[in-house]
Amino acid sequence: MYRIGEIAKLMNISKRTIDYYTQIGLLNPIRTDSNYRLYGEDCIQIMHLIEHYKNLNMPLEEIKSSIELIKTENCVDKQKVEKHFEQIGILMRHLKEEIEAIEPILDKLNSGQKEMVKNKLSSQGVPLAQTLLLLLS
């Protein structure tokens, strides 16, 4: 078990960031009788997941949903987490292929038509499409 300063140093992130992750429910430390927060190995695994997802430009709300899904499936063990990352990679490759297929069509649209397509995308679809287009260039 680690105190906040110890885990911050270990993970090379600020105590403020750990506080924020705790406040939004990403981390669930144990409270001592004197109200100190103690973080276990599960919190370290979760922070590694958060770091990985942040490197994929995933918003914290989606990171939280993904971590909650992992927790409900009881798959915080290394093999299942790696499989989860592998599945995300496969999905990202499929999305990249789809974007590559429609990119020539989008290039031919006028600004009004492009706006109409943009309005059809979900709030999550627009940043995802922009990110994938950046990866393609």
Side-chain angles (χ1 to χ4, degrees):
M1 300 299 279
Y2 304 91
R3 292 173 102 179
I4 190 168
E6 295 168 328
I7 201 161
K9 188 174 182 179
L10 178 71
M11 297 300 299
N12 197 29
I13 58 176
S14 70
K15 290 191 280 185
R16 186 173 182 175
T17 299
I18 295 171
D19 276 336
Y20 182 66
Y21 290 165
T22 303
Q23 288 172 7
I24 65 172
L26 284 168
L27 299 175
N28 297 307
I30 296 169
R31 294 274 182 177
T32 66
D33 292 337
S34 54
N35 210 26
Y36 283 107
R37 287 173 288 179
L38 295 177
Y39 297 85
E41 292 298 321
D42 60 324
C43 291
I44 291 174
Q45 290 176 342
I46 290 169
M47 283 192 272
H48 283 297
L49 284 172
I50 294 168
E51 181 181 342
H52 178 77
Y53 285 136
K54 284 177 73 175
N55 287 334
L56 296 173
N57 296 318
M58 189 182 278
L60 280 176
E61 189 171 308
E62 288 181 36
I63 292 172
K64 184 177 179 184
S65 296
S66 181
I67 289 172
E68 287 171 353
L69 178 65
I70 290 170
K71 284 180 180 178
T72 59
E73 293 176 354
N74 293 324
C75 66
V76 182
D77 68 66
K78 190 174 180 179
Q79 289 179 339
K80 289 184 180 179
V81 169
E82 287 173 357
K83 184 172 181 157
H84 185 69
F85 287 151
E86 184 179 315
Q87 290 171 337
I88 290 172
I90 291 167
L91 288 172
M92 292 293 287
R93 283 190 292 278
H94 287 300
L95 287 170
K96 181 180 176 186
E97 290 169 5
E98 289 178 10
I99 295 251
E100 285 174 338
I102 64 169
E103 192 173 23
I105 298 166
L106 292 175
D107 287 340
K108 294 178 184 175
L109 298 178
N110 65 40
S111 61
Q113 291 169 322
K114 286 181 183 179
E115 190 64 30
M116 189 173 76
V117 170
K118 185 178 175 183
N119 289 337
K120 297 277 184 188
L121 292 173
S122 69
S123 61
Q124 297 169 341
V126 173
L128 176 61
Q130 291 170 338
T131 302
L132 288 173
L133 288 171
L134 284 173
L135 292 172
L136 293 173
S137 36

